[in-house]
Amino acid sequence: MDVAKPATRPARPYFSSGPCAKPPGWSAAKLATGSLGRSHRSKLGKARLAHAIELTRHVLHIPATHRIGIVPASDTGAVEMALWSLLGARPATMLAWESFGEGWVTDVVKQLKLDATILKADYGELPDLASVDWTSDVVFTWNGTTSGVRVPDGEWIPADREGLAICDATSAAFAMDLPWDKIDVATFSWQKVLGGEGGHGVLILGPRAVERLESYVPAWPLPKIFRMTKSGKLIEGIFKGETINTPSMLAVEDYIFALEWAELQGGLSAMTARADANAAALSAWVEATPWIEHLAADPVTRSNTSVCLKFADDAVAGLDDEAQLALVKKIAALLEAEDAAYDIAGYRDAPPGIRIWCGATVDTDDIVALGPWLDWAFQQAIDS
Ligand SMILES: Cc1ncc(COP(=O)(O)O)c(C=O)c1O
């Protein structure tokens, strides 16, 4: 079959699921640089870190009950801090339905050696949320970046839970509503929905998590970069911009730029609406395209940020996973060479397919322009 090469390219062909597209209009020259080359503990450095924290609170509607800290080692650092500092006080339940959730299971079972209850589902599905035992601490990912499956809402988390709800929200924050009264710990990193730089994590602690930190000492040692208490009290400075160790002030300024952009657009509802519009535009193309399907079977659990797609069975009849992966590679390489789309191959551990980031910094026109390019690249790849 002959599919003509489209005439129009996406203006910004950035569809990676992390680091994600910079905010529209971003340029390095627009970043404030006054804090660079200064101590992060100078009055100015601390003020900029505190500003980043307060803008985060404002844009995400985080209530005053929850503390917000900037911590080392990106989202992974923030999640590890939470797992190592909080777990072990009561039974733990781990939910996993894709690669990152599985990574947290491995940590808790193999490293912390906790006898956790593990609720797993295959790529494209969610575990049975109704069967979660909330007398235990529960660790889950709000949006599974590598399968494109998210929890539908916070209704399954009871208000009167005994355990802590510990949530890796890295590809959800700024694109989905997070019910803060249902979340005791949330984490994310900057390079996702707002298109910031990698390097730092954000750790959000509700009052029940702080209570746990102040009343429980884990049986294992904690390295300095995980330690949030001193003499049994929370180190409050961490949540005011007195970081545990030295942050990149350039990354901080870049994050502030992204937050200010988000505010100018109308804040969280505008960010969510942008992601929703992108995901809807992509879905419209999927519906009209016989060779591709959503990996997330149920539209209610379908991500509006990391949208994962698989080949329709008929389109790749007779091709095993390896051959399908080769097809994915060809499609991704063709589109990259044409500057039509960057970084769209699915995650290495996920079923073969493509993944298109639809987060708030992507423009819907670019998603619309991408469809015909995907059709063209698929035809080229399958014919070659
Ligand atoms: C759900 C989820 N958790 C954790 C991570 C790891 O994030 P980071 O590289 O910021 O540590 C990612 C990265 O894509 C992710 O998608």
Side-chain angles (χ1 to χ4, degrees):
M1 208 175 82
D2 204 25
V3 177
K5 193 191 271 193
T8 319
R9 286 174 172 72
R12 294 190 306 137
Y14 297 92
F15 302 109
S16 153
S17 294
C20 303
K22 305 302 282 182
W26 178 94
S27 101
K30 291 184 185 170
L31 303 184
T33 52
S35 68
L36 306 192
R38 298 282 315 272
S39 167
H40 61 295
R41 304 203 191 277
S42 66
K43 207 171 155 199
L44 177 61
K46 272 205 253 184
R48 296 303 283 170
L49 285 154
H51 185 48
I53 288 173
E54 282 321 307
L55 276 174
T56 303
R57 184 182 298 288
H58 192 243
V59 175
L60 288 178
H61 306 163
I62 299 173
T65 46
H66 286 51
R67 290 164 173 86
I68 306 169
I70 294 171
V71 302
S74 211
D75 181 63
T76 308
V79 174
E80 299 283 5
M81 267 177 103
L83 301 183
W84 287 70
S85 304
L86 295 163
L87 293 187
R90 54 169 61 234
T93 298
M94 307 293 299
L95 304 187
W97 55 94
E98 50 81 63
S99 174
F100 286 102
E102 279 168 18
W104 309 140
V105 173
T106 302
D107 257 39
V108 165
V109 173
K110 297 238 165 87
Q111 300 296 322
L112 296 182
K113 304 199 188 324
L114 293 180
D115 182 19
T117 301
I118 298 160
L119 298 180
K120 277 199 192 193
D122 279 344
Y123 278 85
E125 311 282 336
L126 266 187
D128 178 16
L129 301 178
S131 69
V132 173
D133 174 4
W134 283 98
T135 61
S136 64
D137 294 326
V138 180
V139 180
F140 67 100
T141 304
W142 196 275
N143 180 81
T145 320
T146 65
S147 73
V149 173
R150 61 172 166 181
V151 297
D153 50 40
E155 293 301 309
W156 57 288
I157 307 172
D160 61 351
R161 63 195 172 277
E162 288 173 37
L164 299 176
I166 302 174
C167 173
D168 172 359
T170 200
S171 50
F174 301 105
M176 301 171 203
D177 281 323
L178 299 171
W180 294 110
D181 57 333
K182 301 286 185 79
I183 294 176
D184 300 300
V185 178
T187 66
F188 65 88
S189 45
W190 296 343
Q191 71 276 14
K192 295 285 188 180
V193 177
L194 289 193
E197 289 299 298
H200 299 294
V202 172
L203 177 66
I204 299 164
L205 298 179
R208 299 177 62 245
V210 173
E211 206 179 286
R212 171 77 60 84
L213 285 172
E214 293 188 338
S215 61
Y216 163 71
V217 179
W220 43 79
L222 285 181
K224 177 174 172 176
I225 55 166
F226 286 0
R227 287 203 295 270
M228 289 182 267
T229 57
K230 195 171 175 201
S231 313
K233 295 300 285 178
L234 188 75
I235 305 171
E236 294 283 359
I238 297 174
F239 303 93
K240 295 188 177 122
E242 293 160 23
T243 49
I244 297 174
N245 65 341
T246 314
S248 158
M249 293 309 292
L250 187 54
V252 171
E253 291 298 350
D254 183 75
Y255 178 51
I256 290 173
F257 179 96
L259 286 162
E260 288 174 346
W261 169 78
E263 286 228 295
L264 271 179
Q265 305 309 304
L268 182 60
S269 56
M271 294 298 98
T272 304
R274 284 179 62 91
D276 284 347
N278 289 338
L282 188 60
S283 274
W285 170 77
V286 173
E287 299 308 324
T289 304
W291 62 269
I292 200 89
E293 286 171 2
H294 281 280
L295 181 58
D298 180 357
V300 173
T301 66
R302 217 170 261 166
S303 175
N304 64 349
T305 57
S306 59
V307 180
C308 296
L309 305 173
K310 62 178 180 177
F311 298 117
D313 288 346
D314 286 354
V316 288
L319 297 186
D320 61 12
D321 275 8
E322 207 177 315
Q324 290 188 37
L325 272 177
L327 200 58
V328 169
K329 273 195 183 159
K330 271 190 211 159
I331 293 172
L334 279 165
L335 292 175
E336 179 166 351
E338 288 288 343
D339 294 314
Y342 302 140
D343 312 320
I344 59 150
Y347 194 71
R348 56 180 184 270
D349 298 334
I354 56 181
R355 183 171 56 158
I356 311 292
W357 183 256
C358 286
T361 54
V362 173
D363 289 314
T364 307
D365 285 352
D366 289 340
I367 296 282
V368 172
L370 176 63
W373 281 97
L374 291 167
D375 288 328
W376 170 80
F378 175 71
Q379 203 56 51
Q380 295 279 313
I382 209 115
D383 288 347
S384 67

